[in-house]
């Protein structure tokens, strides 16, 4: 069932032939919406207060509740490890953030980032949440690809790029070639500090698992592609890329340069916005539709 929406019901068609007019990034900590035509990004918390302090039901995908220290109001967290655990609850921050970004203009179609590691059920829950929130078609794009585009890499760049996107509860490593994710690995984890903390921290064992994953990914590449990736270096995106010691720690372990994207926490939403402005590229790069 769709949430009550201020947008015209006519926006629930088959999508705009000009491509998506709004972009959405559902993160474990933050929900970000963008309207490319207005060069606008709205960034809001992904969590919700639990009504009357009651414990929410446990959805598929894990316990969504986080109880802050000091006896503060418990928070409902419908997005875990970058994936939607509770479609109905997730529709609330998605709708709120999209409405703030688009105002009275119906989205028409939304381009939504999903982790490359997301399975069919994960993608269906994400699409259900956004359809419920916006009442319009949803097109999917792999988050590491969007992050690379948002970091300034050309859409459809034929040269391979190794990306590590460090989210609040998931780290995704991917090789991007010709505007597509060719290889991907992910590490799901629980941060030392709760998502949304002003100074997030990736646990030391997770750093080592991620470095091992990058080395294995490089080893699996054909020699020519591996050499091109190494010469270009690793691109860090996501809020965790701001950890000051991480590039220095990674570079010698990978024997390659490490670069941080500009404003890395918003690289994914910026990339989605760029894809919205290039409809043909957005269709070519889009992850498979979920019905």
């Amino acid at each position: 069932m769709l949430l009550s929406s201020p947008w015209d019901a006519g926006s629930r068609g088959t999508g705009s032939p000009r491509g998506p007019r709004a972009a959405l990034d559902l993160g474990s900590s933050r929900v970000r919406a963008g309207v490319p035509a207005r060069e606008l990004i709205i960034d809001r918390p992904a969590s919700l207060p639990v009504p009357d302090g009651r414990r929410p039901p446990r959805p598929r995908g894990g316990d969504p509740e986080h109880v802050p220290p000091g006896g503060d109001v418990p928070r409902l967290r419908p997005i875990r490890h970058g994936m939607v655990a509770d479609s109905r609850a997730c529709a609330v921050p998605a709708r709120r953030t999209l409405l703030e970004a688009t105002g009275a203009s119906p989205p028409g179609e939304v381009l939504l980032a999903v982790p490359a590691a997301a399975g069919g059920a994960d993608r269906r829950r994400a699409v259900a949440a956004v359809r419920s929130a916006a009442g319009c078609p949803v097109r999917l794009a792999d988050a590491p690809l969007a992050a690379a585009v948002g970091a300034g890499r050309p859409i459809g760049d034929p040269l391979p790029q190794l990306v590590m996107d460090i989210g609040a509860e998931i780290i995704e490593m991917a090789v991007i070639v010709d505007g597509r994710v060719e290889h991907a690995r992910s590490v799901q984890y629980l941060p030392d500090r709760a998502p949304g903390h002003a100074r997030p921290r990736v646990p030391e064992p997770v750093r080592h698992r991620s470095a091992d994953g990058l080395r294995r990914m490089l080893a699996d590449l054909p020699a020519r592609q591996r050499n091109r990736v190494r010469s270009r270096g690793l691109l860090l995106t996501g809020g965790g890329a701001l950890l000051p010691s991480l590039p220095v720690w990674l570079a010698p372990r990978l024997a390659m340069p490490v670069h941080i994207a500009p404003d890395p926490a918003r690289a994914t939403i910026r990339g989605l916005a760029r894809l919205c402005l290039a409809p043909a590229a957005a269709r070519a790069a889009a992850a498979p539709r979920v019905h």
Side-chain angles (χ1 to χ4, degrees), residues 207-227:
R207 289 191 182 200
H208 286 281
R209 287 173 59 196
S210 300
D212 288 344
L214 287 166
R215 284 193 290 263
R216 287 196 295 269
M217 180 179 289
L218 288 168
D220 290 341
L221 295 176
R224 184 177 180 184
Q225 191 177 58
R226 181 168 59 248
N227 292 336

Side-chain angles (χ1 to χ4, degrees), residues 249-265:
W249 187 89
L250 278 171
R253 286 166 173 80
L254 301 176
M256 61 192 297
V258 178
H259 312 286
I260 301 175
D263 188 12

Side-chain angles (χ1 to χ4, degrees), residues 50-216:
V50 177
D52 302 323
R54 290 174 295 181
R55 185 177 182 86
R58 184 189 297 262
R60 289 172 296 176
D63 187 352
E65 188 181 26
H66 165 60
V67 180
D72 293 338
V73 177
R75 306 291 295 182
L76 177 66
R77 295 184 49 230
I79 306 166
R80 301 302 304 265
H81 305 296
M83 303 183 200
V84 174
D86 185 330
S87 294
R88 179 170 296 189
C90 181
V92 177
R95 174 180 178 272
R96 177 183 60 201
T97 311
L98 277 170
L99 180 59
E100 189 173 349
T102 61
S105 302
E109 185 178 35
V110 174
L111 184 62
L112 172 66
V114 291
D122 300 309
R123 293 173 185 241
R124 284 191 290 273
R125 283 195 293 272
V127 168
V130 178
R131 281 180 178 163
S132 178
C136 69
V138 178
R139 189 181 298 272
L140 300 179
D142 286 321
L145 168 62
V149 172
R153 300 301 186 259
I155 299 173
D157 187 356
L159 296 177
Q161 174 68 66
L162 181 62
V163 180
M164 185 162 83
D165 187 61
I166 309 169
E169 294 183 341
I170 184 171
I171 296 174
E172 288 213 292
M173 300 152 277
V175 176
I176 311 294
V177 186
D178 291 326
R180 290 186 178 276
V181 173
E182 277 206 357
H183 309 276
R185 289 176 177 267
S186 68
V187 176
Q188 295 184 6
Y189 70 101
L190 293 176
D192 287 346
R193 296 176 175 136
H197 194 283
R199 298 182 64 185
R201 188 166 59 194
V202 177
E204 191 69 17
V206 176
R207 289 191 182 200
H208 286 281
R209 287 173 59 196
S210 300
D212 288 344
L214 287 166
R215 284 193 290 263
R216 287 196 295 269

